[in-house]
Amino acid sequence: PKLVIWADSDRVPAVTQVANAWARSKGVTVQVVQKQSGPIRQEVSTVAVENAPDVIVGAHDWIGELSGNGSIIPLSPSAATKKQFPAYALNAFSYGTAIKKLYGAPVALENIGLVINSKLAKVPKTF
């Protein structure tokens, strides 16, 4: 079996490395296709089923549009897999009003930090 992944040009090397390692362990092959980030979102909505990717690497805020137009399907990872991610990260990849469904998982988590030289600046009480 062959798994097709669409990723933007900035992520292709990292996605290829991780995907190939996973594929070797599962006995499958992976093809990572380089796409521009914006067009991925549009192309996945219009691509013919036989040419559609198995995985796309994209922003979490695409989930509502892509699930609403039927371009993506929900995932059903095990509880053990879900525990590997903070709940807020999985919530960002979930969509639905009555029943929220999971459509993805983060490849990275970013946090904001504030570093202050307290000898030169007053430490703020709020951020």
Side-chain angles (χ1 to χ4, degrees):
K2 181 175 169 183
L3 181 75
V4 177
I5 301 172
W6 285 2
D8 65 43
S9 55
D10 293 346
R11 297 181 186 205
V12 166
V15 169
T16 300
Q17 183 179 3
V18 171
N20 284 335
W22 174 85
R24 280 190 299 276
S25 74
K26 302 294 182 190
V28 298
T29 58
V30 174
Q31 177 188 8
V32 179
V33 179
Q34 181 175 318
K35 297 281 187 175
Q36 294 302 315
S37 185
I40 289 176
R41 184 177 182 176
Q42 294 153 352
E43 285 182 46
V44 77
S45 300
T46 59
V47 68
V49 173
E50 61 273 7
N51 298 324
D54 299 295
V55 176
I56 61 171
V57 179
H60 73 281
D61 61 355
W62 298 359
I63 299 298
E65 175 187 344
L66 296 179
S67 64
N69 67 23
S71 297
I72 57 175
I73 58 172
L75 304 173
S76 50
S78 68
T81 298
K82 286 183 185 179
K83 283 185 179 184
Q84 296 179 38
F85 299 95
Y88 68 84
L90 294 181
N91 283 339
F93 283 92
S94 299
Y95 184 75
T97 50
I99 300 173
K100 273 193 160 185
K101 295 180 181 179
L102 181 64
Y103 289 89
V107 295
L109 298 174
E110 298 175 356
N111 293 298
I112 298 172
L114 178 63
V115 178
I116 296 175
N117 182 340
S118 58
K119 293 179 183 175
L120 299 175
K122 191 174 183 180
V123 177
K125 296 203 183 298
T126 62
F127 184 52

